[in-house]
Amino acid sequence: MGDKKIVIGFVSILVLACGLLPFSGLFASEHGSGETEEMCIPMGTFYIEPPESIEASRSKVSFPHSLHFSYNCNVCHHTWTGEGQIKNCMTSGCHDQTQSPKKAVREGSFSAEAIQYFKYAYHNQCIGCHREIRQANAKAEKRRRLGSVTIRKTGPTGCVQCHPREE
Ligand code: HEC
Ligand code: HEC
Ligand code: HEC
């Protein structure tokens, strides 16, 4: 009985801490050692904003996180191995550069240096995936006369769909 109360108290404190983010959820993983670790997952839709030090030229981007949960988490959180906390994309040394590097594109894709620029990192991942699905859909459409085809839902690829305004 006493033990149960302690557990309930513990969980409610964690939910409170998660509550700092709108629509957040709780995720617990068990390590080999039997210890569990909790992580707050932002649920629903939230905004992605540029680093504070830059003067934004476009409005912040609305991101329906949960609408993407049919993918593996590490499709986007690509350094996460399933253990420990997920890092923010703009963690120092990741995609925290605030200026475009001189040599941005090499053989059609961003150079290792360029992808550290936050804008290229987001555009590469967000637009890249939406565009890939769109292109696959366009190909599928061409085969439609040959029989039924699968058209997949995708996300926006145009500037104002993601950034409704200029700032
Ligand atoms: C389509 C890409 C995508 C997928 C798939 C995805 N996320 Fe995210 N997630 C993001 C982005 C973008 C952010 C915002 C990160 C930032 O602000 O730098 C984020 C934020 C988070 C954060 C907060 C990190 C922080 O800034 O402290 C957590 C935790 C998280 N996601 C967990 C998950 C989990 C768990 C899954 C799998 C069920 C998942 N995500 C799937 C893109 C994705
Ligand atoms: C790995 C592929 C993938 C990545 C990466 C990805 N998306 Fe998506 N996105 C999708 C798919 C698939 C859908 C359609 C989901 C649905 O409607 O069920 C979608 C839908 C959306 C929508 C909703 C459009 C609508 O009709 O409501 C928005 C907005 C969006 N994505 C923004 C983003 C942003 C911003 C990022 C980068 C942080 C991102 N996406 C990264 C695959 C991706
Ligand atoms: C799928 C969504 C998506 C699309 C489409 C998109 N962007 Fe972005 N963009 C983002 C995200 C996410 C960021 C990082 C968060 C932020 O800075 O608002 C960003 C950042 C930026 C930034 C740097 C921050 C700023 O406001 O100065 C600029 C400039 C920008 N985008 C311009 C564009 C232009 C121009 C287009 C069309 C060619 C475009 N974006 C298309 C999602 C998108």
Side-chain angles (χ1 to χ4, degrees):
M1 211 26 217
D3 278 348
K4 207 174 191 179
K5 263 192 198 140
I6 291 168
V7 168
I8 290 166
F10 187 50
V11 168
S12 62
I13 289 166
L14 284 166
V15 170
L16 209 68
C18 287
L20 295 173
L21 292 160
F23 315 109
S24 49
L26 192 66
F27 186 78
S29 73
E30 197 167 324
H31 296 288
S33 59
E35 279 174 51
T36 56
E37 188 176 6
E38 283 84 13
M39 176 170 74
C40 286
I41 308 170
M43 302 290 236
T45 298
F46 60 85
Y47 285 102
I48 305 176
E49 294 182 66
E52 272 172 30
S53 61
I54 78 144
E55 211 177 297
S57 59
R58 302 266 168 167
S59 54
K60 59 188 176 185
V61 175
S62 167
F63 177 51
H65 197 214
S66 326
L67 205 62
H68 293 80
F69 286 174
S70 56
Y71 289 101
N72 275 340
C73 312
N74 62 9
V75 166
C76 299
H77 301 294
H78 55 98
T79 63
W80 191 55
T81 56
E83 284 194 15
Q85 300 294 313
I86 282 178
K87 283 192 226 155
N88 182 287
C89 309
M90 291 177 281
T91 298
S92 169
C94 297
H95 308 286
D96 61 329
Q97 293 303 310
T98 52
Q99 275 180 340
S100 173
K102 285 197 180 71
K103 266 197 192 149
V105 183
R106 198 169 292 153
E107 287 157 18
S109 61
F110 290 111
S111 65
E113 190 195 354
I115 208 70
Q116 294 183 340
Y117 177 37
F118 80 97
K119 183 178 95 166
Y120 290 163
Y122 281 116
H123 282 180
N124 185 50
Q125 194 170 74
C126 312
I127 305 173
C129 181
H130 296 162
R131 187 179 284 150
E132 216 170 86
I133 299 170
R134 228 171 62 157
Q135 285 169 348
N137 284 345
K139 266 195 189 159
E141 279 293 352
K142 284 188 188 149
R143 293 194 302 269
R144 191 178 278 287
R145 63 188 171 79
L146 301 175
S148 72
V149 293
T150 315
I151 301 299
R152 290 175 56 206
K153 281 190 182 170
T154 185
T157 54
C159 315
V160 291
Q161 291 172 287
C162 280
H163 307 279
R165 302 181 314 278
E166 293 195 9
E167 293 290 77

